[in-house]
Amino acid sequence: SRFQGLMCFHAREACMLAEHGFTDLLVAYPTMETDALRQVCERIRRGGEITLMVDCPEHVRRLGAIAEEEGVTLPLCLEVDMSMRLPGLNFGVFRSPIRSVEDALGLYHLIRDYPALTLDGVMGYEAQIAGVTDSGPGQRAKNAVIRALKKRSIRELTRRRDAVVEALHNAGARLRFVNGGGTGSLESTAADREVTEVAAGSGLYSPALFDHYHNF
């Protein structure tokens, strides 16, 4: 009962899983391939539950046009960048150009312009927490620096994600979910009051990477 839904790498993967009866499927990366998008629309037409990722106006316009042609409503998830930017350092990965409340609201207002689109959720994945080890053998000084960066980053990204979610709610969005985290950040992400689900992938097969986390 603690597990619900699947995060997918590609839209075609989501379509295959839907064909086999799986539901609540979230595609983790934006999809722009026309054939794949039409396959998603067909699955949704048959009752499939697939949510596609967007992070810029080009994604929204393309998905809105195809969904309208196909006569379906496409659920979308808006990805917010969770990296922490410091002078000379981007602590994290460049996952999305959406970095602020203003960015998120701008994309949401564009989504509302398309009757065939609906905002289903928000994802804020903190790769610098989930995917960076901080207890590696023989590197005490480096571990200490990474832990300090993580601690500061968790505070900052939590404020950013929560502010975006609150602003979207106030703007009229009816979010079904707020997704965050990966295996390496389950504890800190689950503590965020606005997060409704966390995603664990690699942890399901316990790779050696996770032997080197201070808090896990």
Side-chain angles (χ1 to χ4, degrees), residues 19-41:
E19 183 178 356
H20 287 276
F22 291 94
T23 59
D24 193 4
L25 303 168
L26 173 62
V27 181
Y29 302 95
T31 301
M32 297 291 279
E33 298 175 20
T34 300
D35 290 345
L37 292 173
R38 294 196 187 281
Q39 287 179 37
V40 170
C41 290

Side-chain angles (χ1 to χ4, degrees), residues 6 9 21 24 54-56 75 82 87 89 125-126 132-133 140 145:
L6 292 169
F9 174 73
D24 193 4
V54 295
D55 64 26
C56 68
M82 292 284 98
L89 172 67
Y125 171 63
E126 53 269 40
V132 178
T133 61
R140 181 176 297 179
V145 170

